[in-house]
PDB file of all heavy atoms in Angstrom:
ATOM      1  N   ARG A   1     -26.342   8.584  -1.580  1.00  0.00           N
ATOM      2  CA  ARG A   1     -25.205   8.977  -0.753  1.00  0.00           C
ATOM      3  C   ARG A   1     -24.650   7.781   0.014  1.00  0.00           C
ATOM      4  O   ARG A   1     -23.430   7.640   0.187  1.00  0.00           O
ATOM      5  CB  ARG A   1     -25.580  10.116   0.191  1.00  0.00           C
ATOM      6  CG  ARG A   1     -25.679  11.478  -0.485  1.00  0.00           C
ATOM      7  CD  ARG A   1     -25.794  12.621   0.499  1.00  0.00           C
ATOM      8  NE  ARG A   1     -26.959  12.537   1.360  1.00  0.00           N
ATOM      9  CZ  ARG A   1     -28.174  12.980   1.053  1.00  0.00           C
ATOM     10  NH1 ARG A   1     -28.385  13.563  -0.114  1.00  0.00           N
ATOM     11  NH2 ARG A   1     -29.171  12.863   1.905  1.00  0.00           N
ATOM     12  N   ALA A   2     -25.527   6.918   0.479  1.00  0.00           N
ATOM     13  CA  ALA A   2     -25.085   5.723   1.210  1.00  0.00           C
ATOM     14  C   ALA A   2     -24.309   4.773   0.292  1.00  0.00           C
ATOM     15  O   ALA A   2     -23.304   4.187   0.704  1.00  0.00           O
ATOM     16  CB  ALA A   2     -26.284   5.001   1.834  1.00  0.00           C
ATOM     17  N   VAL A   3     -24.764   4.649  -0.947  1.00  0.00           N
ATOM     18  CA  VAL A   3     -24.042   3.819  -1.923  1.00  0.00           C
ATOM     19  C   VAL A   3     -22.667   4.418  -2.183  1.00  0.00           C
ATOM     20  O   VAL A   3     -21.662   3.709  -2.204  1.00  0.00           O
ATOM     21  CB  VAL A   3     -24.852   3.693  -3.252  1.00  0.00           C
ATOM     22  CG1 VAL A   3     -23.993   3.063  -4.339  1.00  0.00           C
ATOM     23  CG2 VAL A   3     -26.112   2.883  -3.020  1.00  0.00           C
ATOM     24  N   ASP A   4     -22.602   5.735  -2.327  1.00  0.00           N
ATOM     25  CA  ASP A   4     -21.325   6.407  -2.548  1.00  0.00           C
ATOM     26  C   ASP A   4     -20.406   6.211  -1.349  1.00  0.00           C
ATOM     27  O   ASP A   4     -19.199   6.000  -1.518  1.00  0.00           O
ATOM     28  CB  ASP A   4     -21.531   7.900  -2.844  1.00  0.00           C
ATOM     29  CG  ASP A   4     -20.234   8.568  -3.259  1.00  0.00           C
ATOM     30  OD1 ASP A   4     -19.592   8.109  -4.218  1.00  0.00           O
ATOM     31  OD2 ASP A   4     -19.867   9.562  -2.588  1.00  0.00           O
ATOM     32  N   ALA A   5     -20.963   6.302  -0.154  1.00  0.00           N
ATOM     33  CA  ALA A   5     -20.140   6.106   1.060  1.00  0.00           C
ATOM     34  C   ALA A   5     -19.570   4.689   1.114  1.00  0.00           C
ATOM     35  O   ALA A   5     -18.423   4.499   1.524  1.00  0.00           O
ATOM     36  CB  ALA A   5     -20.982   6.384   2.310  1.00  0.00           C
ATOM     37  N   LEU A   6     -20.354   3.704   0.698  1.00  0.00           N
ATOM     38  CA  LEU A   6     -19.856   2.311   0.646  1.00  0.00           C
ATOM     39  C   LEU A   6     -18.718   2.214  -0.352  1.00  0.00           C
ATOM     40  O   LEU A   6     -17.673   1.619  -0.076  1.00  0.00           O
ATOM     41  CB  LEU A   6     -20.985   1.334   0.304  1.00  0.00           C
ATOM     42  CG  LEU A   6     -20.567  -0.118   0.117  1.00  0.00           C
ATOM     43  CD1 LEU A   6     -19.934  -0.696   1.378  1.00  0.00           C
ATOM     44  CD2 LEU A   6     -21.772  -0.960  -0.329  1.00  0.00           C
ATOM     45  N   PHE A   7     -18.907   2.801  -1.533  1.00  0.00           N
ATOM     46  CA  PHE A   7     -17.834   2.803  -2.548  1.00  0.00           C
ATOM     47  C   PHE A   7     -16.575   3.445  -1.986  1.00  0.00           C
ATOM     48  O   PHE A   7     -15.484   2.883  -2.127  1.00  0.00           O
ATOM     49  CB  PHE A   7     -18.285   3.536  -3.817  1.00  0.00           C
ATOM     50  CG  PHE A   7     -17.142   4.026  -4.644  1.00  0.00           C
ATOM     51  CD1 PHE A   7     -16.338   3.136  -5.345  1.00  0.00           C
ATOM     52  CD2 PHE A   7     -16.845   5.372  -4.718  1.00  0.00           C
ATOM     53  CE1 PHE A   7     -15.258   3.581  -6.098  1.00  0.00           C
ATOM     54  CE2 PHE A   7     -15.778   5.835  -5.476  1.00  0.00           C
ATOM     55  CZ  PHE A   7     -14.977   4.940  -6.161  1.00  0.00           C
ATOM     56  N   VAL A   8     -16.707   4.601  -1.361  1.00  0.00           N
ATOM     57  CA  VAL A   8     -15.538   5.307  -0.824  1.00  0.00           C
ATOM     58  C   VAL A   8     -14.823   4.465   0.221  1.00  0.00           C
ATOM     59  O   VAL A   8     -13.599   4.359   0.230  1.00  0.00           O
ATOM     60  CB  VAL A   8     -15.950   6.685  -0.254  1.00  0.00           C
ATOM     61  CG1 VAL A   8     -14.837   7.311   0.571  1.00  0.00           C
ATOM     62  CG2 VAL A   8     -16.369   7.617  -1.388  1.00  0.00           C
ATOM     63  N   ARG A   9     -15.599   3.812   1.095  1.00  0.00           N
ATOM     64  CA  ARG A   9     -14.996   2.981   2.141  1.00  0.00           C
ATOM     65  C   ARG A   9     -14.232   1.811   1.540  1.00  0.00           C
ATOM     66  O   ARG A   9     -13.074   1.538   1.909  1.00  0.00           O
ATOM     67  CB  ARG A   9     -16.066   2.474   3.115  1.00  0.00           C
ATOM     68  CG  ARG A   9     -15.492   1.685   4.292  1.00  0.00           C
ATOM     69  CD  ARG A   9     -16.522   1.317   5.329  1.00  0.00           C
ATOM     70  NE  ARG A   9     -17.659   0.597   4.834  1.00  0.00           N
ATOM     71  CZ  ARG A   9     -17.673  -0.735   4.626  1.00  0.00           C
ATOM     72  NH1 ARG A   9     -16.613  -1.443   4.873  1.00  0.00           N
ATOM     73  NH2 ARG A   9     -18.747  -1.325   4.180  1.00  0.00           N
ATOM     74  N   LEU A  10     -14.847   1.106   0.585  1.00  0.00           N
ATOM     75  CA  LEU A  10     -14.168  -0.029  -0.052  1.00  0.00           C
ATOM     76  C   LEU A  10     -12.938   0.433  -0.821  1.00  0.00           C
ATOM     77  O   LEU A  10     -11.889  -0.217  -0.787  1.00  0.00           O
ATOM     78  CB  LEU A  10     -15.131  -0.765  -0.996  1.00  0.00           C
ATOM     79  CG  LEU A  10     -16.291  -1.511  -0.337  1.00  0.00           C
ATOM     80  CD1 LEU A  10     -17.262  -2.018  -1.397  1.00  0.00           C
ATOM     81  CD2 LEU A  10     -15.780  -2.633   0.532  1.00  0.00           C
ATOM     82  N   ASN A  11     -13.053   1.555  -1.502  1.00  0.00           N
ATOM     83  CA  ASN A  11     -11.921   2.125  -2.253  1.00  0.00           C
ATOM     84  C   ASN A  11     -10.777   2.467  -1.300  1.00  0.00           C
ATOM     85  O   ASN A  11      -9.618   2.122  -1.546  1.00  0.00           O
ATOM     86  CB  ASN A  11     -12.379   3.358  -3.009  1.00  0.00           C
ATOM     87  CG  ASN A  11     -11.301   3.951  -3.891  1.00  0.00           C
ATOM     88  OD1 ASN A  11     -11.072   3.463  -4.998  1.00  0.00           O
ATOM     89  ND2 ASN A  11     -10.622   4.966  -3.400  1.00  0.00           N
ATOM     90  N   ASN A  12     -11.086   3.144  -0.196  1.00  0.00           N
ATOM     91  CA  ASN A  12     -10.040   3.569   0.739  1.00  0.00           C
ATOM     92  C   ASN A  12      -9.355   2.378   1.394  1.00  0.00           C
ATOM     93  O   ASN A  12      -8.128   2.376   1.568  1.00  0.00           O
ATOM     94  CB  ASN A  12     -10.620   4.500   1.789  1.00  0.00           C
ATOM     95  CG  ASN A  12     -10.965   5.857   1.209  1.00  0.00           C
ATOM     96  OD1 ASN A  12     -10.593   6.212   0.110  1.00  0.00           O
ATOM     97  ND2 ASN A  12     -11.733   6.627   1.975  1.00  0.00           N
ATOM     98  N   VAL A  13     -10.108   1.348   1.744  1.00  0.00           N
ATOM     99  CA  VAL A  13      -9.506   0.150   2.334  1.00  0.00           C
ATOM    100  C   VAL A  13      -8.557  -0.496   1.324  1.00  0.00           C
ATOM    101  O   VAL A  13      -7.452  -0.899   1.683  1.00  0.00           O
ATOM    102  CB  VAL A  13     -10.594  -0.841   2.791  1.00  0.00           C
ATOM    103  CG1 VAL A  13     -10.024  -2.217   3.101  1.00  0.00           C
ATOM    104  CG2 VAL A  13     -11.328  -0.288   4.002  1.00  0.00           C
ATOM    105  N   ALA A  14      -8.988  -0.565   0.072  1.00  0.00           N
ATOM    106  CA  ALA A  14      -8.141  -1.168  -0.961  1.00  0.00           C
ATOM    107  C   ALA A  14      -6.860  -0.372  -1.194  1.00  0.00           C
ATOM    108  O   ALA A  14      -5.770  -0.932  -1.295  1.00  0.00           O
ATOM    109  CB  ALA A  14      -8.924  -1.308  -2.266  1.00  0.00           C
ATOM    110  N   VAL A  15      -6.988   0.959  -1.258  1.00  0.00           N
ATOM    111  CA  VAL A  15      -5.817   1.815  -1.453  1.00  0.00           C
ATOM    112  C   VAL A  15      -4.860   1.684  -0.270  1.00  0.00           C
ATOM    113  O   VAL A  15      -3.647   1.569  -0.450  1.00  0.00           O
ATOM    114  CB  VAL A  15      -6.217   3.287  -1.706  1.00  0.00           C
ATOM    115  CG1 VAL A  15      -5.029   4.219  -1.649  1.00  0.00           C
ATOM    116  CG2 VAL A  15      -6.938   3.406  -3.044  1.00  0.00           C
ATOM    117  N   ASP A  16      -5.397   1.679   0.941  1.00  0.00           N
ATOM    118  CA  ASP A  16      -4.553   1.505   2.130  1.00  0.00           C
ATOM    119  C   ASP A  16      -3.817   0.175   2.084  1.00  0.00           C
ATOM    120  O   ASP A  16      -2.638   0.080   2.430  1.00  0.00           O
ATOM    121  CB  ASP A  16      -5.363   1.614   3.403  1.00  0.00           C
ATOM    122  CG  ASP A  16      -5.882   3.010   3.695  1.00  0.00           C
ATOM    123  OD1 ASP A  16      -5.409   3.974   3.039  1.00  0.00           O
ATOM    124  OD2 ASP A  16      -6.766   3.148   4.560  1.00  0.00           O
ATOM    125  N   ARG A  17      -4.529  -0.874   1.676  1.00  0.00           N
ATOM    126  CA  ARG A  17      -3.925  -2.204   1.586  1.00  0.00           C
ATOM    127  C   ARG A  17      -2.811  -2.217   0.546  1.00  0.00           C
ATOM    128  O   ARG A  17      -1.731  -2.769   0.782  1.00  0.00           O
ATOM    129  CB  ARG A  17      -5.025  -3.182   1.198  1.00  0.00           C
ATOM    130  CG  ARG A  17      -4.764  -4.589   1.588  1.00  0.00           C
ATOM    131  CD  ARG A  17      -6.008  -5.439   1.362  1.00  0.00           C
ATOM    132  NE  ARG A  17      -5.592  -6.590   0.615  1.00  0.00           N
ATOM    133  CZ  ARG A  17      -6.254  -7.145  -0.375  1.00  0.00           C
ATOM    134  NH1 ARG A  17      -7.415  -6.664  -0.753  1.00  0.00           N
ATOM    135  NH2 ARG A  17      -5.793  -8.177  -0.995  1.00  0.00           N
ATOM    136  N   LEU A  18      -3.057  -1.594  -0.592  1.00  0.00           N
ATOM    137  CA  LEU A  18      -2.051  -1.526  -1.649  1.00  0.00           C
ATOM    138  C   LEU A  18      -0.818  -0.769  -1.158  1.00  0.00           C
ATOM    139  O   LEU A  18       0.319  -1.227  -1.360  1.00  0.00           O
ATOM    140  CB  LEU A  18      -2.638  -0.844  -2.882  1.00  0.00           C
ATOM    141  CG  LEU A  18      -1.699  -0.594  -4.058  1.00  0.00           C
ATOM    142  CD1 LEU A  18      -1.084  -1.900  -4.551  1.00  0.00           C
ATOM    143  CD2 LEU A  18      -2.444   0.098  -5.180  1.00  0.00           C
ATOM    144  N   GLN A  19      -1.029   0.353  -0.495  1.00  0.00           N
ATOM    145  CA  GLN A  19       0.098   1.130   0.009  1.00  0.00           C
ATOM    146  C   GLN A  19       0.896   0.344   1.047  1.00  0.00           C
ATOM    147  O   GLN A  19       2.119   0.384   1.064  1.00  0.00           O
ATOM    148  CB  GLN A  19      -0.379   2.456   0.587  1.00  0.00           C
ATOM    149  CG  GLN A  19      -0.845   3.427  -0.482  1.00  0.00           C
ATOM    150  CD  GLN A  19      -1.452   4.699   0.097  1.00  0.00           C
ATOM    151  OE1 GLN A  19      -1.869   4.726   1.249  1.00  0.00           O
ATOM    152  NE2 GLN A  19      -1.510   5.721  -0.719  1.00  0.00           N
ATOM    153  N   LEU A  20       0.202  -0.371   1.917  1.00  0.00           N
ATOM    154  CA  LEU A  20       0.862  -1.166   2.949  1.00  0.00           C
ATOM    155  C   LEU A  20       1.784  -2.212   2.311  1.00  0.00           C
ATOM    156  O   LEU A  20       2.935  -2.385   2.725  1.00  0.00           O
ATOM    157  CB  LEU A  20      -0.189  -1.839   3.839  1.00  0.00           C
ATOM    158  CG  LEU A  20       0.332  -2.679   4.994  1.00  0.00           C
ATOM    159  CD1 LEU A  20       0.919  -1.783   6.071  1.00  0.00           C
ATOM    160  CD2 LEU A  20      -0.811  -3.514   5.562  1.00  0.00           C
ATOM    161  N   LYS A  21       1.290  -2.916   1.311  1.00  0.00           N
ATOM    162  CA  LYS A  21       2.078  -3.970   0.656  1.00  0.00           C
ATOM    163  C   LYS A  21       3.235  -3.377  -0.138  1.00  0.00           C
ATOM    164  O   LYS A  21       4.349  -3.909  -0.138  1.00  0.00           O
ATOM    165  CB  LYS A  21       1.197  -4.838  -0.254  1.00  0.00           C
ATOM    166  CG  LYS A  21       0.125  -5.597   0.512  1.00  0.00           C
ATOM    167  CD  LYS A  21       0.721  -6.436   1.613  1.00  0.00           C
ATOM    168  CE  LYS A  21      -0.351  -7.108   2.445  1.00  0.00           C
ATOM    169  NZ  LYS A  21       0.218  -7.874   3.537  1.00  0.00           N
ATOM    170  N   ALA A  22       2.989  -2.275  -0.836  1.00  0.00           N
ATOM    171  CA  ALA A  22       4.067  -1.618  -1.605  1.00  0.00           C
ATOM    172  C   ALA A  22       5.143  -1.088  -0.671  1.00  0.00           C
ATOM    173  O   ALA A  22       6.343  -1.235  -0.938  1.00  0.00           O
ATOM    174  CB  ALA A  22       3.496  -0.506  -2.474  1.00  0.00           C
ATOM    175  N   ASN A  23       4.721  -0.491   0.432  1.00  0.00           N
ATOM    176  CA  ASN A  23       5.688   0.023   1.420  1.00  0.00           C
ATOM    177  C   ASN A  23       6.522  -1.094   2.030  1.00  0.00           C
ATOM    178  O   ASN A  23       7.720  -0.928   2.250  1.00  0.00           O
ATOM    179  CB  ASN A  23       4.995   0.836   2.494  1.00  0.00           C
ATOM    180  CG  ASN A  23       4.464   2.162   2.005  1.00  0.00           C
ATOM    181  OD1 ASN A  23       4.866   2.651   0.949  1.00  0.00           O
ATOM    182  ND2 ASN A  23       3.546   2.743   2.747  1.00  0.00           N
ATOM    183  N   ALA A  24       5.895  -2.229   2.294  1.00  0.00           N
ATOM    184  CA  ALA A  24       6.629  -3.366   2.868  1.00  0.00           C
ATOM    185  C   ALA A  24       7.713  -3.828   1.898  1.00  0.00           C
ATOM    186  O   ALA A  24       8.859  -4.072   2.301  1.00  0.00           O
ATOM    187  CB  ALA A  24       5.672  -4.512   3.198  1.00  0.00           C
ATOM    188  N   PHE A  25       7.361  -3.917   0.618  1.00  0.00           N
ATOM    189  CA  PHE A  25       8.370  -4.309  -0.366  1.00  0.00           C
ATOM    190  C   PHE A  25       9.479  -3.252  -0.464  1.00  0.00           C
ATOM    191  O   PHE A  25      10.658  -3.584  -0.475  1.00  0.00           O
ATOM    192  CB  PHE A  25       7.743  -4.541  -1.754  1.00  0.00           C
ATOM    193  CG  PHE A  25       8.796  -4.730  -2.812  1.00  0.00           C
ATOM    194  CD1 PHE A  25       9.478  -5.932  -2.913  1.00  0.00           C
ATOM    195  CD2 PHE A  25       9.145  -3.694  -3.660  1.00  0.00           C
ATOM    196  CE1 PHE A  25      10.486  -6.095  -3.853  1.00  0.00           C
ATOM    197  CE2 PHE A  25      10.146  -3.858  -4.604  1.00  0.00           C
ATOM    198  CZ  PHE A  25      10.816  -5.064  -4.709  1.00  0.00           C
ATOM    199  N   ASN A  26       9.068  -1.999  -0.550  1.00  0.00           N
ATOM    200  CA  ASN A  26      10.068  -0.919  -0.693  1.00  0.00           C
ATOM    201  C   ASN A  26      11.016  -0.850   0.510  1.00  0.00           C
ATOM    202  O   ASN A  26      12.212  -0.574   0.343  1.00  0.00           O
ATOM    203  CB  ASN A  26       9.373   0.421  -0.913  1.00  0.00           C
ATOM    204  CG  ASN A  26       8.784   0.522  -2.308  1.00  0.00           C
ATOM    205  OD1 ASN A  26       9.284  -0.094  -3.241  1.00  0.00           O
ATOM    206  ND2 ASN A  26       7.703   1.280  -2.442  1.00  0.00           N
ATOM    207  N   ASP A  27      10.491  -1.092   1.706  1.00  0.00           N
ATOM    208  CA  ASP A  27      11.353  -1.102   2.895  1.00  0.00           C
ATOM    209  C   ASP A  27      12.427  -2.191   2.762  1.00  0.00           C
ATOM    210  O   ASP A  27      13.611  -1.958   3.055  1.00  0.00           O
ATOM    211  CB  ASP A  27      10.535  -1.339   4.156  1.00  0.00           C
ATOM    212  CG  ASP A  27       9.657  -0.154   4.537  1.00  0.00           C
ATOM    213  OD1 ASP A  27       9.860   0.958   3.969  1.00  0.00           O
ATOM    214  OD2 ASP A  27       8.754  -0.345   5.377  1.00  0.00           O
ATOM    215  N   GLU A  28      12.026  -3.367   2.317  1.00  0.00           N
ATOM    216  CA  GLU A  28      12.986  -4.460   2.157  1.00  0.00           C
ATOM    217  C   GLU A  28      13.946  -4.196   0.994  1.00  0.00           C
ATOM    218  O   GLU A  28      15.133  -4.530   1.064  1.00  0.00           O
ATOM    219  CB  GLU A  28      12.269  -5.796   1.971  1.00  0.00           C
ATOM    220  CG  GLU A  28      11.445  -6.229   3.186  1.00  0.00           C
ATOM    221  CD  GLU A  28      12.237  -6.269   4.488  1.00  0.00           C
ATOM    222  OE1 GLU A  28      13.443  -6.618   4.486  1.00  0.00           O
ATOM    223  OE2 GLU A  28      11.652  -5.938   5.539  1.00  0.00           O
ATOM    224  N   LEU A  29      13.452  -3.546  -0.045  1.00  0.00           N
ATOM    225  CA  LEU A  29      14.314  -3.197  -1.169  1.00  0.00           C
ATOM    226  C   LEU A  29      15.396  -2.215  -0.736  1.00  0.00           C
ATOM    227  O   LEU A  29      16.549  -2.354  -1.141  1.00  0.00           O
ATOM    228  CB  LEU A  29      13.478  -2.611  -2.316  1.00  0.00           C
ATOM    229  CG  LEU A  29      14.245  -2.227  -3.580  1.00  0.00           C
ATOM    230  CD1 LEU A  29      14.918  -3.453  -4.195  1.00  0.00           C
ATOM    231  CD2 LEU A  29      13.295  -1.574  -4.584  1.00  0.00           C
ATOM    232  N   HIS A  30      15.036  -1.252   0.105  1.00  0.00           N
ATOM    233  CA  HIS A  30      16.028  -0.300   0.609  1.00  0.00           C
ATOM    234  C   HIS A  30      17.091  -1.018   1.443  1.00  0.00           C
ATOM    235  O   HIS A  30      18.282  -0.716   1.316  1.00  0.00           O
ATOM    236  CB  HIS A  30      15.360   0.815   1.440  1.00  0.00           C
ATOM    237  CG  HIS A  30      14.532   1.746   0.627  1.00  0.00           C
ATOM    238  ND1 HIS A  30      15.045   2.509  -0.386  1.00  0.00           N
ATOM    239  CD2 HIS A  30      13.211   2.023   0.678  1.00  0.00           C
ATOM    240  CE1 HIS A  30      14.065   3.240  -0.938  1.00  0.00           C
ATOM    241  NE2 HIS A  30      12.952   2.942  -0.305  1.00  0.00           N
ATOM    242  N   LYS A  31      16.665  -1.977   2.238  1.00  0.00           N
ATOM    243  CA  LYS A  31      17.634  -2.763   3.030  1.00  0.00           C
ATOM    244  C   LYS A  31      18.569  -3.532   2.091  1.00  0.00           C
ATOM    245  O   LYS A  31      19.778  -3.600   2.317  1.00  0.00           O
ATOM    246  CB  LYS A  31      16.923  -3.751   3.958  1.00  0.00           C
ATOM    247  CG  LYS A  31      16.204  -3.109   5.107  1.00  0.00           C
ATOM    248  CD  LYS A  31      15.512  -4.201   5.919  1.00  0.00           C
ATOM    249  CE  LYS A  31      14.512  -3.678   6.900  1.00  0.00           C
ATOM    250  NZ  LYS A  31      13.773  -4.770   7.578  1.00  0.00           N
ATOM    251  N   TYR A  32      17.969  -4.121   1.060  1.00  0.00           N
ATOM    252  CA  TYR A  32      18.757  -4.905   0.085  1.00  0.00           C
ATOM    253  C   TYR A  32      19.780  -4.004  -0.588  1.00  0.00           C
ATOM    254  O   TYR A  32      20.949  -4.360  -0.702  1.00  0.00           O
ATOM    255  CB  TYR A  32      17.813  -5.524  -0.937  1.00  0.00           C
ATOM    256  CG  TYR A  32      18.511  -6.222  -2.080  1.00  0.00           C
ATOM    257  CD1 TYR A  32      19.044  -7.486  -1.925  1.00  0.00           C
ATOM    258  CD2 TYR A  32      18.666  -5.585  -3.321  1.00  0.00           C
ATOM    259  CE1 TYR A  32      19.696  -8.122  -2.962  1.00  0.00           C
ATOM    260  CE2 TYR A  32      19.315  -6.209  -4.356  1.00  0.00           C
ATOM    261  CZ  TYR A  32      19.827  -7.479  -4.182  1.00  0.00           C
ATOM    262  OH  TYR A  32      20.483  -8.104  -5.217  1.00  0.00           O
ATOM    263  N   LYS A  33      19.353  -2.847  -1.058  1.00  0.00           N
ATOM    264  CA  LYS A  33      20.265  -1.931  -1.758  1.00  0.00           C
ATOM    265  C   LYS A  33      21.318  -1.360  -0.838  1.00  0.00           C
ATOM    266  O   LYS A  33      22.436  -1.056  -1.279  1.00  0.00           O
ATOM    267  CB  LYS A  33      19.464  -0.798  -2.405  1.00  0.00           C
ATOM    268  CG  LYS A  33      18.688  -1.250  -3.628  1.00  0.00           C
ATOM    269  CD  LYS A  33      17.953  -0.096  -4.275  1.00  0.00           C
ATOM    270  CE  LYS A  33      17.276  -0.555  -5.555  1.00  0.00           C
ATOM    271  NZ  LYS A  33      16.642   0.555  -6.256  1.00  0.00           N
ATOM    272  N   ALA A  34      20.998  -1.211   0.457  1.00  0.00           N
ATOM    273  CA  ALA A  34      21.970  -0.659   1.411  1.00  0.00           C
ATOM    274  C   ALA A  34      23.104  -1.634   1.700  1.00  0.00           C
ATOM    275  O   ALA A  34      24.192  -1.218   2.103  1.00  0.00           O
ATOM    276  CB  ALA A  34      21.271  -0.319   2.714  1.00  0.00           C
ATOM    277  N   ARG A  35      22.876  -2.911   1.453  1.00  0.00           N
ATOM    278  CA  ARG A  35      23.930  -3.925   1.689  1.00  0.00           C
ATOM    279  C   ARG A  35      25.130  -3.688   0.796  1.00  0.00           C
ATOM    280  O   ARG A  35      26.265  -3.875   1.204  1.00  0.00           O
ATOM    281  CB  ARG A  35      23.406  -5.335   1.434  1.00  0.00           C
ATOM    282  CG  ARG A  35      22.497  -5.844   2.483  1.00  0.00           C
ATOM    283  CD  ARG A  35      22.147  -7.309   2.357  1.00  0.00           C
ATOM    284  NE  ARG A  35      22.488  -7.966   1.132  1.00  0.00           N
ATOM    285  CZ  ARG A  35      21.711  -8.867   0.526  1.00  0.00           C
ATOM    286  NH1 ARG A  35      20.554  -9.193   1.041  1.00  0.00           N
ATOM    287  NH2 ARG A  35      22.092  -9.457  -0.574  1.00  0.00           N
ATOM    288  N   SER A  36      24.852  -3.344  -0.448  1.00  0.00           N
ATOM    289  CA  SER A  36      25.952  -3.134  -1.403  1.00  0.00           C
ATOM    290  C   SER A  36      25.427  -2.295  -2.548  1.00  0.00           C
ATOM    291  O   SER A  36      24.475  -2.711  -3.220  1.00  0.00           O
ATOM    292  CB  SER A  36      26.444  -4.480  -1.920  1.00  0.00           C
ATOM    293  OG  SER A  36      27.349  -4.271  -2.977  1.00  0.00           O
ATOM    294  N   PRO A  37      25.999  -1.141  -2.792  1.00  0.00           N
ATOM    295  CA  PRO A  37      25.517  -0.280  -3.871  1.00  0.00           C
ATOM    296  C   PRO A  37      25.602  -0.942  -5.238  1.00  0.00           C
ATOM    297  O   PRO A  37      24.900  -0.566  -6.145  1.00  0.00           O
ATOM    298  CB  PRO A  37      26.451   0.943  -3.819  1.00  0.00           C
ATOM    299  CG  PRO A  37      27.164   0.867  -2.526  1.00  0.00           C
ATOM    300  CD  PRO A  37      27.110  -0.559  -2.053  1.00  0.00           C
TER     301      PRO A  37
END
């Protein structure tokens, strides 16, 4: 169970990191697209 908990923690940190970076790009992409359709 402790090994599984370590896996879950590492997985969740990685997924959060991925979402943060994707969201940062998407936010800037929306700004870019809003400048001119």
Side-chain angles (χ1 to χ4, degrees):
R1 283 191 300 275
V3 169
D4 188 55
L6 176 60
F7 158 70
V8 168
R9 185 174 55 82
L10 292 172
N11 184 81
N12 289 347
V13 166
V15 169
D16 290 347
R17 204 171 130 220
L18 176 58
Q19 289 174 340
L20 181 72
K21 297 304 176 183
N23 289 343
F25 171 76
N26 287 331
D27 290 346
E28 296 306 325
L29 181 61
H30 291 299
K31 290 178 193 175
Y32 173 80
K33 287 183 175 184
R35 286 189 348 219
S36 172

